Amino acid sequence: MSRSSFACQALLQAALLTVVSAIPAPTAFVKNVVPPEPVITPSPVQHHPSRVAGRNILSDVDSDINSILSGLGSDLPSWVASGVPNYFQGFPTGDAVVSSLGLNSAELAALPTNVLNIDPYANWTSSGWNVRFHGNVYKQPNTSISDLNDLADVFLGNTSISDLSESEQKQARNLTAEILVVQQPDVAVNTIHLEPAPSQGSSGQPGGGGSSNTTGGTQDLTLPYNTTVEGDFDTFVPISSNGLTAGNETSAIQRLNVHVEGATIGNSTAYLVPPTGLTVVSDIDDILRVTKIYEPEQGLLNSFARPFRPWENMPDIYRNWSISLPNLHFHYLTTTPEQVTRNYMQFIYDNYPGGSFDTRPLNFSDVSATLSIRKFLLKKVFETFPHRKFLLIADTSNSDVMRDYPEMATDFPGQVQCIFLRNTSATDSGDKFPYDTSGFEKLNQSNYMFFLHPDDLTNLDIANGQCYNTSIPQNLTFSYQGLPLGLGDEPTAVNGSANHTAESAASLSMMGGTNRQGLVFLIVLATVSFMIL
């Protein structure tokens, strides 16, 4: 055994001795709770340019993870503890892009202005329809193919762009160009034009689902605020009905085409969502598309070079839901960076029912912010639609999902209809990230399910709250799963839904619980030890 391996195992044993107290779990689902009135929730970006530190909107994040890593006196990557891959961190923005491309002020000023216009949702309040417009204003430098090849190599890690096929090289260059844009701070967003979107696909078709034939809503409007220091905009704006059906008079979703004047690619679709009904809030990576975010080399290639492809037959599941669940609203929430949003939006439109979108704004750029943005955006959509019920869908490789989804059931009683989590470690041997299932211990089994394949989600009466397929193998203990070096359960232990047995997860549960820092210390060391071994 090498000295480093021996040292890591010794540190692990020392960490186990710090285990002293249990982690509190969310309480059970509460039914028949009267929701509050719909509100227009605050945006994750300020209306006036300012630095991130002044926003005071980040949730309580595991800052002790970073302190532990720094305390080890090493350059261990923070994604070892967080589960967030480092290739989705630290994209250059603004002045850094200008400097890297050698642009001068005259060249920059001559570039046309473009707008990333992210598909918004709208809610109905006593004042009418309110649309949440959000996106980014930027300029796209003219970068040569040779420069894009050189820059793409930076994002491809150990792979050279010359090793890729021609189609993969083209995708790598396109994505690199999308990343290397110059955001425009403190500028007004051009006039936004709205009109009915009757051309959207029908239920059961890619890009369709849950939409009525919208007949009104044509109008022009301007946003009340300039962009932030990162070029972002995010604000609710009331719109005139102009023939739209009032939200309290319909259960159908109405759609409007959204175009920003003067922006050749600034188009999106707004989803006017009634106060009641079902909304699917879905992650994308490794639940809707094959990413392998837990294998950095494969994750890089699947994100930057290879065509996006659906995970198994998941499009069939969503297509069936769009047909069988009346007026279902799909909301796609991913914490991938804003710069790569267009690829994700196009992938969804080509393979899944159309829906509104949330991605990570540019001011949420480091690991701590990445781990907090999902909860912030979840709370935003829940507060915006307090009378709707939600299906939450993701996979176990995201530490923030494993924490945030059960917490939403506690924080918003009666609103979480179902939680569906793909157990990636049971179906993909490359997933070595530990994950914590303790948050589900006191939740009602009928409201959540860990599953292996899309077909596990068939034959469920979701509309009436049946979210648990009893035919799926059950073997879940409520603690950390998939720890290396034989700690905790094997990665395949959670291979279906919980059976609520009180059996411990090997070494961890036998200790009777952990204190917060001791457990984080244990997880970091265990994962690092596995990587070294």
Side-chain angles (χ1 to χ4, degrees):
M1 179 181 295
S2 67
R3 291 182 61 187
S4 60
S5 299
F6 179 82
C8 283
Q9 292 196 41
L11 286 170
L12 281 169
Q13 293 175 4
L16 284 170
L17 297 178
T18 67
V19 177
V20 294
S21 63
I23 297 176
T27 56
F29 284 80
V30 179
K31 297 183 178 180
N32 300 321
V33 175
V34 178
E37 289 302 309
V39 295
I40 300 177
T41 55
S43 301
V45 293
Q46 282 192 336
H47 297 137
H48 302 290
S50 65
R51 295 195 174 275
V52 178
R55 300 180 192 277
N56 295 321
I57 60 175
L58 298 183
S59 61
D60 183 19
V61 182
D62 290 331
S63 59
D64 47 352
I65 291 177
N66 291 327
S67 65
I68 290 171
L69 290 172
S70 60
L72 292 175
S74 67
D75 294 324
L76 296 175
S78 54
W79 58 267
V80 169
S82 69
V84 179
N86 59 351
Y87 55 84
F88 278 150
Q89 306 294 333
F91 285 166
T93 59
D95 292 341
V97 174
V98 172
S99 175
S100 66
L101 297 179
L103 297 174
N104 59 46
S105 57
E107 291 171 328
L108 183 61
L111 294 173
T113 298
N114 283 315
V115 178
L116 171 63
N117 190 7
I118 300 174
D119 292 329
Y121 53 71
N123 72 337
W124 175 263
T125 68
S126 57
S127 61
W129 285 110
N130 299 274
V131 181
R132 180 192 164 210
F133 296 101
H134 59 129
N136 188 270
V137 179
Y138 65 95
K139 292 192 173 188
Q140 177 76 66
N142 298 316
T143 310
S144 68
I145 290 180
S146 61
D147 285 344
L148 286 174
N149 286 341
D150 292 339
L151 293 165
D153 277 337
V154 176
F155 298 116
L156 289 171
N158 296 326
T159 301
S160 170
I161 193 170
S162 61
D163 297 330
L164 303 177
S165 68
E166 184 57 39
S167 61
E168 291 174 339
Q169 289 183 29
K170 182 178 180 180
Q171 176 162 321
R173 284 191 292 267
N174 288 342
L175 189 56
T176 300
E178 289 179 16
I179 294 170
L180 296 173
V181 298
V182 183
Q183 291 79 19
Q184 300 299 291
D186 197 22
V187 298
V189 180
N190 286 348
T191 300
I192 295 176
H193 178 68
L194 304 179
E195 62 182 14
S199 61
Q200 299 292 337
S202 62
S203 292
Q205 296 177 346
S211 177
S212 64
N213 291 322
T214 307
T215 57
T218 300
Q219 59 197 281
D220 292 330
L221 54 87
T222 57
L223 301 187
Y225 306 104
N226 285 0
T227 59
T228 68
V229 68
E230 298 91 358
D232 283 336
F233 60 92
D234 190 331
T235 184
F236 276 92
V237 176
I239 64 172
S240 302
S241 291
N242 292 353
L244 291 169
T245 304
N248 56 0
E249 296 177 359
T250 182
S251 59
I253 295 171
Q254 300 171 84
R255 300 189 190 191
L256 295 174
N257 286 331
V258 182
H259 176 68
V260 179
E261 185 178 287
T264 57
I265 52 177
N267 297 324
S268 69
T269 301
Y271 296 80
L272 279 58
V273 183
T276 60
L278 280 173
T279 290
V280 172
V281 178
S282 179
D283 194 13
I284 297 176
D285 287 305
D286 291 310
I287 183 67
L288 301 188
R289 84 172 186 99
V290 176
T291 309
K292 295 184 181 293
I293 206 168
Y294 33 78
E295 295 184 58
E297 192 72 23
Q298 292 301 310
L300 277 169
L301 293 174
N302 289 332
S303 297
F304 285 90
R306 295 168 181 159
F308 285 16
R309 61 186 178 93
W311 173 58
E312 296 188 2
N313 62 321
M314 202 65 176
D316 294 336
I317 300 299
Y318 276 43
R319 184 178 303 115
N320 179 63
W321 285 352
S322 76
I323 297 172
S324 60
L325 297 173
N327 305 310
L328 186 64
H329 168 221
F330 290 89
H331 181 65
Y332 300 97
L333 194 162
T334 174
T335 58
T336 51
E338 193 174 70
Q339 295 101 314
V340 297
T341 297
R342 278 203 178 89
N343 290 42
Y344 280 76
M345 290 170 62
Q346 187 62 49
F347 168 74
I348 292 298
Y349 190 81
D350 289 342
N351 296 278
Y352 291 94
S356 49
F357 244 84
D358 262 320
T359 56
R360 189 174 82 226
L362 291 181
N363 58 310
F364 287 79
S365 57
D366 61 20
V367 170
S368 294
T370 302
L371 288 173
S372 68
I373 184 58
R374 189 186 304 273
K375 183 68 174 290
F376 182 84
L377 294 173
L378 281 169
K379 289 179 64 177
K380 187 179 187 69
V381 71
F382 271 61
E383 290 171 352
T384 302
F385 301 103
H387 298 276
R388 293 186 72 85
K389 293 185 181 294
F390 293 87
L391 314 180
L392 305 181
I393 305 176
D395 68 278
T396 57
S397 67
N398 292 296
S399 60
D400 55 344
V401 163
M402 299 302 292
R403 177 196 64 210
D404 295 343
Y405 275 17
E407 284 182 357
M408 294 304 293
T410 301
D411 296 345
F412 295 88
Q415 279 193 261
V416 177
Q417 185 93 329
C418 300
I419 298 176
F420 295 126
L421 291 169
R422 175 200 172 192
N423 181 14
T424 50
S425 64
T427 58
D428 195 332
S429 60
D431 182 5
K432 303 299 184 183
F433 284 123
Y435 56 97
D436 184 12
T437 58
S438 60
F440 293 85
E441 184 170 7
K442 294 185 179 180
L443 299 189
N444 190 327
Q445 171 63 88
S446 65
N447 292 105
Y448 73 93
M449 181 173 67
F450 291 82
F451 68 98
L452 302 180
H453 302 286
D455 285 342
D456 296 341
L457 300 175
T458 59
N459 300 317
L460 295 173
D461 187 6
I462 292 174
N464 292 311
Q466 183 204 355
C467 313
Y468 171 37
N469 186 342
T470 56
S471 68
I472 305 304
Q474 307 171 52
N475 186 17
L476 176 63
T477 51
F478 299 103
S479 185
Y480 270 91
Q481 316 291 321
L483 290 174
L485 301 180
L487 294 170
D489 287 348
E490 292 299 315
T492 56
V494 185
N495 60 1
S497 297
N499 58 6
H500 278 245
T501 58
E503 297 174 2
S504 63
S507 306
L508 287 181
S509 295
M510 289 172 63
M511 302 301 295
T514 68
N515 66 24
R516 184 176 181 83
Q517 190 173 34
L519 182 56
V520 174
F521 188 46
L522 170 65
I523 300 306
V524 172
L525 288 176
T527 307
V528 173
S529 297
F530 181 85
M531 295 172 68
I532 293 174
L533 292 171

